[in-house]
Amino acid sequence: MTDFHTHLLPGMDDGSDSVSTSLLMLDMWRSQGIDQVIATPHFYAEYTTPERFLRQRAKAREELTEVLTEGETYPTLRYGAEVRFFDGISGTEVLPSLCLEGTRLLLLEMPFVRWTERMLGEVEEIRMRGIRPVIAHLERYIDFNPKKLLRRLMEMDVFIQCNAEFFLSRRTSRQALRLLEEDRIHFLGSDAHNTTSRPPNLGQALELIEKKLGRRAIDRLLDLEKLTGVDSEAVRP
Ligand SMILES: [Fe+2]
């Protein structure tokens, strides 16, 4: 099982603050049976450039890899970014370099305001450029948008990622399970930032899903390794 959305890399953003925190987070994933973790540090176009971001990510990745103990089994690590929407994002040349490595999947964080036509249009434009947006934590936009706008986004040719917390919170659990049953959710993530207030908790969500909907609901989620076609093509910036 893959955790599609995490802030595991040390010192990159408001996620893991050190390699020792990252190691503890990896232990938590391992004990929950998560065998693949995608590191998706925040990318904010107003604060950094893709080049700088990718340099920092490579450095943090190296720091973490160095402290992994030989002979131990860890979840497989892959690298991407959680890219915050910005005006003009669809025309940005370097967008492919921010995709999950080896794919054309872009984890996209939408604005936390009511979406405009222009914003939705840009999401469509990204798709037309051959990049498939994966909308990060869909549940976090529900309070800002009427149902019809959320539906419109979901009906575009995009993938939807939801956080474990959406399933684990009593307030939203039923809604999360319903969307999963309707095949509206394609990837799950913990959006883990640390080991305490926002820990890796995907294993708990999977247990709950299995209890409520059966194993089949989990098996229907997208498997990165099985994606074919444009999404899994290597990206050449
Ligand atoms: Fe995140």
Side-chain angles (χ1 to χ4, degrees):
M1 186 67 203
T2 300
D3 191 332
F4 200 87
H5 181 161
T6 78
H7 299 272
L8 155 79
L9 284 179
M12 276 296 291
D13 53 16
D14 57 341
S16 170
D17 57 0
S18 62
V19 282
S20 45
T21 299
S22 302
L23 283 176
L24 288 172
M25 291 168 82
L26 283 172
D27 270 344
M28 294 171 85
W29 275 299
R30 187 167 46 184
S31 68
Q32 293 169 26
I34 306 300
D35 53 17
Q36 180 161 246
V37 173
I38 319 273
T40 53
H42 289 288
F43 174 81
Y44 298 122
E46 65 269 44
Y47 301 130
T48 189
T49 61
E51 294 75 19
R52 205 165 108 207
F53 171 85
L54 293 174
R55 265 202 313 276
Q56 279 178 334
R57 193 181 69 183
K59 189 167 158 270
R61 171 183 183 162
E62 206 179 296
E63 278 169 15
L64 179 59
T65 313
E66 267 173 19
V67 297
L68 297 182
T69 313
E70 223 174 286
E72 284 247 18
T73 313
Y74 297 97
T76 305
L77 298 180
R78 293 181 68 173
Y79 300 87
E82 178 182 11
V83 179
R84 168 74 64 88
F85 180 95
F86 56 93
D87 278 343
I89 183 172
S90 59
T92 309
E93 283 304 312
V94 290
L95 218 45
S97 66
L98 297 172
C99 286
L100 166 61
E101 278 183 342
T103 76
R104 287 182 175 274
L105 301 173
L106 183 82
L107 185 63
L108 180 64
E109 183 178 45
M110 293 294 286
F112 294 103
V113 293
R114 186 186 163 122
W115 300 330
T116 62
E117 284 303 318
R118 204 157 55 88
M119 288 170 189
L120 292 177
E122 285 227 47
V123 175
E124 256 170 351
E125 280 288 323
I126 293 173
R127 184 66 192 111
M128 279 158 70
R129 284 186 54 195
I131 290 173
R132 175 99 67 150
V134 178
I135 306 300
H137 41 55
L138 179 87
E139 70 278 6
R140 290 186 56 195
Y141 317 112
I142 289 175
D143 293 343
F144 300 97
N145 286 288
K147 264 191 194 148
K148 70 168 197 255
L149 274 189
L150 290 158
R151 290 269 158 182
R152 261 190 59 201
L153 182 74
M154 284 193 277
E155 271 149 26
M156 285 180 191
D157 200 10
V158 298
F159 288 137
I160 301 293
Q161 180 263 316
C162 287
N163 284 357
E165 192 56 32
F166 188 32
F167 292 86
L168 295 171
S169 156
R170 276 198 182 176
R171 189 173 70 85
T172 55
S173 189
R174 277 177 63 178
Q175 188 180 17
L177 290 166
R178 194 176 62 242
L179 285 175
L180 186 64
E181 257 191 320
E182 290 171 359
D183 285 331
R184 300 239 177 221
I185 300 172
H186 307 101
F187 295 109
L188 298 180
S190 62
D191 202 358
H193 280 62
N194 51 47
T195 58
T196 51
S197 58
R198 299 181 73 182
N201 57 357
L202 184 56
Q204 290 146 259
L206 292 172
E207 269 175 36
L208 180 125
I209 292 168
E210 186 162 355
K211 198 168 117 207
K212 299 279 184 188
L213 302 178
R215 180 73 211 175
R216 264 196 65 234
I218 295 169
D219 293 341
R220 285 209 315 274
L221 287 163
L222 289 186
D223 183 344
L224 268 185
E225 315 315 323
K226 288 189 201 136
L227 281 180
T228 54
V230 70
D231 302 312
S232 59
E233 274 171 26
V235 170
R236 285 169 213 89

